[in-house]
Amino acid sequence: MIFETRELFRKYTDDATFARIKEYDTVGEMWALCAAEYADTPAIEDDGRVFTYAQLEDDVAHFRTSLAAAGVKAGTRVGLLSPNSYEFVKAFLAITTLGATAVILPAQLDAGTVFGCSMKFGLSALVAHPALWDNTAVAAARRPDLPILSAADTAKDATAAVPCDKTTPCVIMFTGGTTGQSKGALLSNGAVMQGTVNGCYGTKDVFGQRYLLVLPLSHVFGLIRNLMTSLYTGSTLFICRNNKDMFRDIAMFRPTIMVMVPALAEMALTLSKKFGRNMLGDDLKVIICGAAAAPPYLVKEYDKIGVALLQGYGLTESANLVSGNPESLQKPTSVGIPYPHQEFRIEDGELWIKGANMLEDYVGEPESAYEDGWFKTGDLVRMDDEGYLYITGRIKEIIVLANGENVSPAEVETHFNALPFVQDSQVFEAVNDEGSHFLALEIVPRATEAGGMTKEQMIAELEAVNATLPPYQRVNRIVVRDTDFERTPAMKIKRYKLEG
Amino acid sequence: MTRQDIVERLKDILLSADDKNREAVEACTEASNLATDLGFSSISMLYMVIAIEESFGIRFEDVGMADFQTLGDVIDYIESKLV
């Protein structure tokens, strides 16, 4: 099935706004138009500095001169090692508008890994933020041929952008899955632009927004759903340098839209209750939640304070979100309807995708991302009659029981997560002293709902839910945890793995 | 503000974040380890820092999990900021 779903999103905004959502082939084409149209609008606020679209374009043009002097030209690959900062934005736009490919190196990489990436991805130059300069030391010592530029550099003269087309490689980003090894996914200009435009669908207010960035720009939702969609829509992006300052930054900047993981959205809600005021500010209208399932409880609580919490589903490989849910109150467990120009296939429950937003391929990996032209997501999904998508689990997380039954932990967890006092849950395979395998459940209670309940009361309610499940899905042990689950740097829950 | 006052306010903050942790929080001492005794994750650390700033009217410099091992370390930091 091919999805040309653009028209489905029309009703969520006015006609004039919808007509402005146009598609572009390249970052350079989009940026040239935005820099001209929104010249005097603030584009980026970072570290006390405000840069308009015109100033950003001016700095980008001068940085293209520095890059060109270092031998960067169309078709070359340039490493970008920078924390979230104005300098990241400037360097990213300069690299991509020269027709080169930006290889985004996450800021936490050590010096040895930075050097390793310079070899693996065949970098012909490396741009580093002054704050991370020490991490270029190994590359500098072992690759004397590699020009290393400071992202804070500025050349005297400007250099014009180099036109390219939608097939031109744009960016290599690391996949940061909760399972498996991280890989470099190559996204073309066309894919990045499709991902950027997809970020415009499903909300009432699209252009001239105020984004507050808390996700890393080395993450696809940081780079594309925050930065690129913000630039595309003539919005202002405030870069929160340190998450602990998030609420101070919010009070000052008053964002209208934020993209965050559900755990942060939940934390903001708990803090708001504790201190008796909306910590996310009165101007916030939309929270886009990705990377993990947001519980229906959160959607409802945010609705009470006039904030639409919209879930989406996406991968690094899909250059931002594959689907978005504009009807989160009616369908709080859905990740939404597919964005345009994609083809979906559901094989044995697994979602396969083709589309304008999909990666070219992995870089430097022995195996292709595609099989017979399809990207297999590894995610188990179902789609309802109205075309809304629901994630039911991940293939790699499937537990095969001794009797051959396949159990998707995520699917079983949704039943327990429906209890208001369950904040997070994890169903996993455990082994007893006799070596028998069985299904176990651990939950982290939600403080605000579990206040008056004893563990025994919680377990009784969980047992009641357990009894309604098909026998093969029932868990044999229930533990109410005193502490949170271990989490990845992106704050996703680390799944338990059976040893051996 | 005495050290004991700070401890009581901290307990209040920790309970607001994590009421299920009541037993551990009520039994905690200055020697309690944030990660192993109180089960802190990166999110609860962030919560604690933000709630302390709100509640005590102080500002943390750039801090991470590694900067505070025990509740006593956190109290030391708050005291140093209150003087």
Side-chain angles (χ1 to χ4, degrees), chain A residues 176-188:
Chain A
T178 39
T179 50
Q181 197 73 17
S182 181
K183 299 182 188 116
L186 173 62
L187 303 170
S188 67

Side-chain angles (χ1 to χ4, degrees), chain A residues 77-79 103 105 114 117-119 121-126 143 146:
Chain A
R77 290 181 185 161
V78 182
V103 180
L105 304 173
V114 170
C117 288
S118 83
M119 299 298 289
F121 298 109
L123 301 186
S124 50
L126 173 61
R143 275 203 61 187
L146 183 75

Side-chain angles (χ1 to χ4, degrees), chain A residues 32-331:
Chain A
L33 290 166
C34 292
E37 187 172 352
Y38 307 118
D40 298 328
T41 304
I44 305 289
E45 288 195 28
D46 174 39
D47 210 16
R49 306 169 295 172
V50 181
F51 301 90
T52 63
Y53 278 74
Q55 286 170 319
L56 175 55
E57 163 54 13
D58 194 49
D59 286 343
V60 166
H62 284 79
F63 198 65
R64 280 195 293 255
T65 305
S66 305
L67 289 166
V72 174
K73 52 182 190 274
T76 58
R77 290 181 185 161
V78 182
L80 176 52
L81 176 68
S82 172
N84 283 6
S85 59
Y86 174 69
E87 286 69 26
F88 180 112
V89 177
K90 178 189 80 172
F92 175 74
L93 287 173
I95 294 165
T96 53
T97 54
L98 267 179
T101 308
V103 180
I104 310 293
L105 304 173
Q108 69 272 18
L109 295 186
D110 62 27
T113 312
V114 170
F115 162 69
C117 288
S118 83
M119 299 298 289
K120 178 171 180 178
F121 298 109
L123 301 186
S124 50
L126 173 61
V127 176
H129 189 279
L132 299 175
W133 197 256
D134 288 352
N135 292 350
T136 64
V138 178
R142 297 184 61 182
R143 275 203 61 187
D145 64 309
L146 183 75
I148 303 178
L149 290 79
S150 165
D153 256 9
T154 179
K156 197 163 140 278
D157 301 316
T159 293
V162 176
C164 62
D165 64 38
K166 65 180 177 187
T167 64
T168 305
C170 180
V171 62
I172 294 176
M173 303 199 80
F174 288 97
T175 63
T178 39
T179 50
Q181 197 73 17
S182 181
K183 299 182 188 116
L186 173 62
L187 303 170
S188 67
N189 269 268
V192 169
M193 284 317 305
Q194 186 64 54
T196 301
V197 174
N198 288 348
C200 299
Y201 292 121
T203 56
K204 179 173 171 289
D205 301 311
V206 180
F207 293 89
Q209 297 302 296
R210 297 168 70 78
Y211 280 78
L212 190 123
L213 174 72
V214 290
L215 290 174
L217 286 167
S218 55
H219 189 286
V220 69
F221 298 138
L223 186 77
I224 300 183
R225 182 63 187 86
N226 273 276
L227 173 63
M228 288 301 293
T229 303
S230 175
L231 294 175
Y232 175 95
T233 55
S235 302
T236 305
L237 182 80
F238 184 101
I239 297 175
C240 172
R241 286 277 185 128
N242 188 326
N243 280 0
K244 83 169 183 61
D245 296 328
M246 182 168 89
F247 297 108
R248 228 183 335 262
D249 289 344
I250 287 171
M252 189 177 61
F253 179 70
R254 304 172 69 91
T256 56
I257 178 166
M258 286 185 71
V259 183
M260 60 173 92
V261 295
L264 259 188
E266 173 127 28
M267 188 187 87
L269 198 62
T270 312
L271 279 166
S272 299
K273 285 181 178 167
K274 162 92 182 150
F275 294 107
R277 63 185 170 84
N278 178 2
M279 300 287 282
L280 289 171
D282 294 333
D283 290 354
L284 191 78
K285 296 286 178 286
V286 174
I287 294 176
I288 304 291
C289 260
Y297 159 89
L298 263 192
V299 176
K300 288 185 192 130
E301 287 294 307
Y302 270 108
D303 180 63
K304 287 182 195 162
I305 54 169
V307 176
L309 189 147
L310 307 178
Q311 287 213 73
Y313 161 73
L315 311 140
T316 305
E317 290 90 336
S318 63
N320 190 13
L321 300 173
V322 164
S323 65
N325 184 355
E327 299 281 359
S328 59
L329 270 182
Q330 285 69 37
K331 295 176 182 278

Side-chain angles (χ1 to χ4, degrees), chain A residues 242 244 247-248 263 267 270-271 274-275 277 444-445 447 451 482-484 487 491, chain B residues 12 16-17 19-21 39 41 43 46-47 49-51 53-54 59-62:
Chain A
N242 188 326
K244 83 169 183 61
F247 297 108
R248 228 183 335 262
M267 188 187 87
T270 312
L271 279 166
K274 162 92 182 150
F275 294 107
R277 63 185 170 84
V444 176
D482 291 323
T483 60
D484 194 8
R487 289 175 186 268
M491 294 181 180
Chain B
D12 177 51
S16 71
D19 191 57
K20 69 198 177 284
N21 215 2
S41 66
I43 295 174
L46 190 60
Y47 181 97
V49 167
I50 292 168
E53 288 191 345
E54 280 283 324
R59 277 192 75 153
F60 279 67
E61 309 302 325
D62 280 356

Side-chain angles (χ1 to χ4, degrees), chain A residues 366-378:
Chain A
E367 286 179 14
S368 168
Y370 290 96
E371 258 178 68
D372 302 326
W374 290 95
F375 177 78
K376 299 182 177 178
T377 63

